[in-house]
Amino acid sequence: MSAMHPMTPPPAVQPPPAVIPSPPAVQPPPAPSAVESAPPRRRHPRPRALHPRALRLRALRPASLRRAAVAAAVTLVAVTTALLTTPSPAQGSPAQDSRAQGSPALGSPAVGSPAQGAPGAAAPDLSPALSYFSGGAFDTCEAPSVTVMRAWRASPYRAVGIYFGGRGRGCPGQRELSRSWVSTVHTLGFHLLPLFVGSQAPCVNSEAKRKYAIGRTPWRQGTQEAGDAVKAAKALGIDAASPLYLDIEAYRAGDAACRSTTVTFVRAWDREVRRLGYVPGFYSSADTGIRDIERQRVAGTPDLPSVVWFARWGGGPALDTESALSPSAWQPHARIHQYAGNVTETYGGRRMTIDRSVVDAPVARVIPQM
């Protein structure tokens, strides 16, 4: 019951109003209410006016655009900063292949990617994760016993080259070399320089090495042997971010086909070692392998070694004055010079025939034994 029409009792003689309705034709139309007085929009179209909420949204739109622009700019700065500060992944991606290399690329990994060196210069991008050594080193065909290494703590050498893998090793047996040996010798204070003697140049000078010549698919062969090298290093407790030095013995200079095959093998080996998180190093004669790799660096060829170990006997140690290398190439902390070979020395009552080197380069990171 409506509150606007209170009910009163009707007179007894008057019939109920509901029984006698007024005819529609004679009934005057009801007066329009305040709400009905406005004509319906659908019956009387007008120029469309914006709703107040739409006006507010339109008024806010420039500010929203400004906020969106600021947010986009902040995002761009953040992404750019991340790209500039994040270490590059391990070498092997197409983007990395387009850059000249004369330095390690560790990610992450691998090991970061190397900076491009201008012709005649190399700019190593050595990761802080690497372990470095500067001083005297020796290597010998077969790893000495722990007893001999303990005696040689009286020597001036604090680094030792170990031939840890490869089908071309002169002493493949390596009776002493084991994970325990690596850990113990490292604990004695010796840094380790791992050498891998795999396939050799087809025109290698050494007759004993010719049966290990690189085959018809040098890229695939280099990639496969790099995997073998990393597997062997891990088995000995040599951790990622360690240098692995590929040993390519002296070969015939001036043989273009042989040089091309050898360089292709070395580049494939470098790329795969780098991709697997290790640092590719390169040992060779200064007048053949080192000279050819330096030419590739000057030409901007990608997938080159991060560290070079050059052999030039007959003089004293000279890291920075090697004629086969530009003075700025593989600098800093990326050179080893083997300056004497097949010399006999005795320390602590133990005698060995060794090759002598001077080092300013990365050395192995050894996983501690539990």
Side-chain angles (χ1 to χ4, degrees):
M1 185 180 294
S2 173
M4 296 178 63
H5 303 281
M7 185 179 69
T8 56
V13 294
Q14 184 176 354
V19 180
I20 312 174
S22 299
V26 297
Q27 183 178 358
S33 65
V35 175
E36 292 172 342
S37 62
R41 185 177 300 171
R42 58 186 177 86
R43 294 180 181 178
H44 303 280
R46 291 181 179 179
R48 185 172 182 179
L50 289 175
H51 191 278
R53 181 178 298 174
L55 291 173
R56 286 196 300 271
L57 290 174
R58 175 166 291 185
L60 291 173
R61 191 170 297 168
S64 300
L65 291 175
R66 286 195 297 272
R67 286 195 296 270
V70 171
V74 170
T75 302
L76 179 60
V77 171
V79 171
T80 304
T81 303
L83 289 174
L84 291 174
T85 58
T86 303
S88 304
Q91 180 72 13
S93 67
Q96 292 165 334
D97 294 344
S98 66
R99 294 178 288 183
Q101 299 169 15
S103 56
L106 301 177
S108 126
V111 177
S113 64
Q116 179 166 349
D125 181 19
L126 299 175
S127 166
L130 300 185
S131 179
Y132 300 95
F133 171 72
S134 180
F138 73 93
D139 67 270
T140 187
C141 187
E142 188 164 353
S145 68
V146 170
T147 301
V148 172
M149 293 302 298
R150 185 173 286 110
W152 271 55
R153 285 188 296 179
S155 76
Y157 307 111
R158 284 297 173 267
V160 55
I162 55 171
Y163 293 91
F164 75 100
R167 67 190 189 111
R169 285 184 293 181
C171 299
Q174 299 294 331
R175 294 168 297 178
E176 299 290 339
L177 190 57
S178 65
R179 191 183 188 102
S180 175
W181 186 95
V182 167
S183 178
T184 302
V185 169
H186 188 258
T187 302
L188 290 174
F190 289 96
H191 301 280
L192 303 180
L193 300 166
L195 285 149
F196 184 87
V197 191
S199 296
Q200 297 294 305
C203 55
V204 61
N205 292 340
S206 171
E207 186 174 351
K209 301 289 185 184
R210 289 174 188 168
K211 59 184 176 181
Y212 306 119
I214 300 165
R216 296 182 178 180
T217 56
W219 189 271
R220 182 166 60 185
Q221 195 170 349
T223 301
Q224 178 182 344
E225 292 192 26
D228 295 340
V230 169
K231 184 177 179 180
K234 288 181 176 179
L236 291 173
I238 297 173
D239 204 357
S242 295
L244 305 180
Y245 293 93
L246 176 63
D247 183 331
I248 296 290
E249 295 294 319
Y251 53 88
R252 185 169 62 250
D255 188 327
C258 177
R259 177 175 63 247
S260 176
T261 296
T262 304
V263 168
T264 299
F265 175 86
V266 172
R267 290 180 56 222
W269 196 90
D270 293 341
R271 177 189 284 193
E272 185 67 3
V273 165
R274 193 174 277 124
R275 186 186 73 82
L276 295 173
Y278 287 74
V279 180
F282 181 59
Y283 168 91
S284 192
S285 165
D287 287 330
T288 53
I290 297 298
R291 192 177 297 278
D292 287 339
I293 287 296
E294 167 66 357
R295 288 170 178 158
Q296 297 300 316
R297 185 197 64 79
V298 171
T301 304
D303 300 314
L304 298 183
S306 298
V307 190
V308 292
W309 187 343
F310 54 94
R312 187 180 292 283
W313 298 355
L319 283 172
D320 301 325
T321 57
E322 171 51 47
S323 61
L325 296 171
S326 169
S328 58
W330 283 280
Q331 296 278 18
H333 313 306
R335 290 189 180 193
I336 304 174
H337 177 202
Q338 187 184 82
Y339 60 93
N342 298 323
V343 297
T344 301
E345 299 184 25
T346 303
Y347 297 99
R350 300 289 181 166
R351 186 176 182 179
M352 285 195 292
T353 299
I354 63 168
D355 299 334
R356 298 172 181 160
S357 294
V358 60
V359 179
D360 181 19
V363 292
R365 299 173 70 242
V366 175
I367 302 173
Q369 280 197 311
M370 303 303 292

